[in-house]
Amino acid sequence: RNDKTAIVVHGIPHTGKPQVLAYICGHFTEADIFDHCRRFTQYWKSCTWGIERVAAQKVLLTLFEVWLMKYGESNHITLYPLQPSTHTSKGARIQVFVNLMAAGEYFLPEGDLDATTQFLNYDLTMRDQTDDLIDAISYGPQMLLRYRSAILNNAQMAVGREQFAGRVQHGLEIACV
C-alpha cells in the first residue's frame, strides 16, 4: 500500500491553545515534501520541523538537513525526530488528540472537513484505513511534550530575524511529516 504523506503546521495563537493551522496531504516525492515544508515555513514563519522516524522517513532527517544547508536555511530551521508509530501507538496518539480536542485544549482549523472526516471515521480496532492526515496531526501534542522548550527557544531566536517574524503571536510553529 502506498500511503499518502501529510504535512501539518501546528501553532499556538494568541488564545494560548494549540491548534492545527494548515496541512496538505498527498503522494509526494522527497523533494516535494521538502518544498511543501519550506513553503509552509515561509508562510507561517515557522522554525521547527518534526519528522516521523520510521522506514524511509529516517532518511528525510539527513536529506533535509543537507538541503537546508544547500539553501542556507540550516541556522533557521531545526529538525526533530518523531517517535515511530505502531498500530497501538498510532491509535493511542490519535485518541489522545481527540481527547484534547474534546476538552477544548487543541483545535482544528475552523470549517475543516478533511481531518474532521478522518477523525470521525477512524476505528481504533481496524488496520489499513485512511488515517494519514490524522496520524500526522496527532503528532502535535508529542512535539509539544518532547520539544516545547526547544521550539519556544527557536521561535524566540527567530523573532529577531525579519524574514522569520511570526504570523502566530506566540511564535510556536510545527511542521510534521
Side-chain angles (χ1 to χ4, degrees):
R1 190 177 126 180
N2 189 4
D3 286 343
K4 291 182 176 181
T5 297
I7 303 165
V8 182
V9 180
H10 297 256
I12 300 178
H14 67 284
T15 61
K17 302 284 184 172
Q19 69 181 62
V20 174
L21 300 171
Y23 58 77
I24 188 168
C25 190
H27 295 280
F28 305 125
T29 65
E30 291 82 359
D32 293 336
I33 294 168
F34 183 77
D35 289 341
H36 285 303
C37 287
R38 285 185 70 218
R39 275 193 287 281
F40 274 147
T41 294
Q42 291 165 354
Y43 181 82
W44 290 102
K45 311 305 180 200
S46 62
C47 52
T48 305
W49 297 1
I51 299 175
E52 191 176 35
R53 197 177 42 165
V54 296
Q57 289 97 320
K58 285 183 192 177
V59 175
L60 293 180
L61 287 167
T62 304
L63 180 62
F64 286 4
E65 285 174 356
V66 169
W67 285 350
L68 286 170
M69 283 188 275
K70 174 183 172 184
Y71 290 104
E73 297 172 350
S74 59
N75 291 331
H76 304 300
I77 297 168
T78 305
L79 306 179
Y80 290 104
L82 296 170
Q83 205 53 14
S85 81
T86 63
H87 178 66
T88 306
S89 68
K90 181 195 317 188
R93 197 174 56 251
I94 290 171
Q95 186 63 53
V96 165
F97 192 87
V98 168
N99 292 343
L100 287 168
M101 285 192 303
E105 295 296 321
Y106 221 111
F107 299 94
L108 292 176
E110 190 172 328
D112 172 80
L113 292 177
D114 295 332
T116 301
T117 301
Q118 277 193 25
F119 277 117
L120 290 173
N121 291 328
Y122 188 73
D123 183 344
L124 288 168
T125 64
M126 284 181 49
R127 288 184 162 290
D128 297 327
Q129 54 188 318
T130 302
D131 62 8
D132 305 301
L133 178 57
I134 63 173
D135 184 20
I137 286 173
S138 68
Y139 273 113
Q142 185 186 119
M143 285 286 292
L144 288 175
L145 181 66
R146 293 185 177 185
Y147 304 116
R148 178 184 290 265
S149 62
I151 291 167
L152 291 174
N153 185 47
N154 291 345
Q156 186 177 24
M157 291 184 340
V159 169
R161 296 188 298 263
E162 182 181 342
Q163 70 270 27
F164 284 91
R167 292 180 190 269
V168 177
Q169 278 189 344
H170 290 282
L172 170 62
E173 295 87 19
I174 308 165
C176 294
V177 176

